[in-house]
Amino acid sequence: MEHLGILAHSMEGAALCLRTFCLEGAERMGAYQHPDVTLDCIALAHSMPAWDVGNYLSIRSTLAVSVQRLARAGADFFVCPDNTAHIALEQPGEDLALPGLHIAEVVAGQAVRDGRTRVGVLGTSYTMDGPVYPRAFGSRGIAAEIPGEQDRRVLNRIIFDELVNAVFTDSSRQEYVRIIGRMADRGCDAVALACTEIPILVAPEDSPLPTLDSTRLLARAAFDVAVGKQPMPTWRGGPVGG
């Protein structure tokens, strides 16, 4: 079995990824069993000033330190359960110390298997306004839709004021459900929960549309790699396919 490294950028999403990976082991391998896994987390506070000014190369450098530490801990590959972080990870630069699964590629692959054609993307303002999901979906012939400007502000505020701080309220859940309903009205046939904390707030039964849970999809894809069901990834940061 391969040793997974989890590159954490925000706490709650990384914790859910770790938990899902380990529970997958118990379900598929037997009680208390799972492949080796190591998590490394540099506090989000170190990167937030760079996010505020769009200094993605600085963030990439910080994330690369975590990947190096995971490699030294014996990890064979990594995942980053933070959709926004992939904007920085996709920046050109030296190869990361480990190959990694790309979260948007995993989500888009599932959308193809589900037969989706138009997917709403919910996440931070960086993710919703950024290039990662339009590229991942577009390369597969799937349209990526984002909420209107006011709704994007609501989603982003809830993520940074509440979700990453482990605050999950009924009122915020209702806001997300309302916005997902609007995406359904616009013709979306699924919604990507493209912030890894959103699945903690919005369960599939809450959503007016089928959900693509980026956190759990990534964890289960990582499990498949770790047990040899899927090949090792080759992406080491930078533009996908570059």
Side-chain angles (χ1 to χ4, degrees):
M1 291 186 288
E2 307 292 348
H3 182 161
L4 171 64
I6 296 179
L7 166 56
H9 193 49
S10 55
M11 171 192 65
E12 283 288 328
L16 178 58
C17 182
L18 173 65
R19 182 174 184 271
T20 302
F21 181 84
C22 294
L23 289 175
E24 194 76 3
E27 181 176 334
R28 292 167 58 178
M29 301 172 66
Y32 316 118
Q33 183 64 276
H34 58 77
D36 289 347
V37 56
T38 298
L39 186 148
D40 188 86
C41 184
I42 296 174
L44 186 59
H46 293 290
S47 295
M48 283 310 300
W51 281 114
D52 290 340
V53 299
N55 188 352
Y56 301 143
L57 290 177
S58 173
I59 300 162
R60 190 189 199 275
S61 295
T62 299
L63 298 174
V65 170
S66 271
V67 181
Q68 290 169 356
R69 298 197 307 210
L70 290 168
R72 290 199 296 270
D76 298 299
F77 71 107
F78 83 94
V79 296
C80 180
D82 188 297
N83 290 272
T84 300
H86 284 69
I87 299 172
L89 291 170
E90 285 191 1
Q91 299 302 304
E94 293 185 3
D95 282 355
L96 299 172
L98 293 171
L101 289 172
H102 189 293
I103 193 169
E105 294 293 298
V106 171
V107 173
Q110 186 62 52
V112 170
R113 290 189 291 276
D114 292 344
R116 306 304 178 194
T117 60
R118 184 176 298 274
V119 177
V121 178
L122 307 187
T124 67
S125 59
Y126 308 104
T127 297
M128 291 184 290
D129 294 334
V132 172
Y133 273 92
R135 178 203 51 75
F137 283 135
S139 67
R140 293 164 171 83
I142 299 171
E145 296 282 340
I146 60 173
E149 182 178 355
Q150 179 59 35
D151 285 341
R152 295 200 303 274
R153 286 199 293 267
V154 169
L155 297 173
N156 187 73
R157 177 190 59 77
I158 291 171
I159 289 168
F160 282 108
D161 290 354
E162 300 178 17
L163 304 191
V164 299
N165 297 308
V167 176
F168 304 96
T169 67
D170 287 338
S171 60
S172 291
R173 182 177 299 105
Q174 290 167 10
E175 284 289 84
Y176 270 72
V177 169
R178 175 185 62 80
I179 292 168
I180 295 171
R182 287 188 170 182
M183 304 306 290
D185 292 341
R186 288 170 52 182
C188 292
D189 54 14
V191 63
L193 306 184
C195 165
T196 50
E197 283 79 22
I198 298 175
I200 306 173
L201 181 70
V202 180
E205 59 268 24
D206 299 322
S207 177
L209 285 172
T211 59
L212 292 160
D213 177 343
S214 64
T215 321
R216 292 183 175 92
L217 287 172
L218 182 66
R220 289 168 182 148
F223 187 91
D224 284 344
V225 171
V227 298
K229 185 176 179 180
Q230 294 295 328
M232 285 285 287
T234 59
W235 177 66
R236 288 180 177 261
V240 176

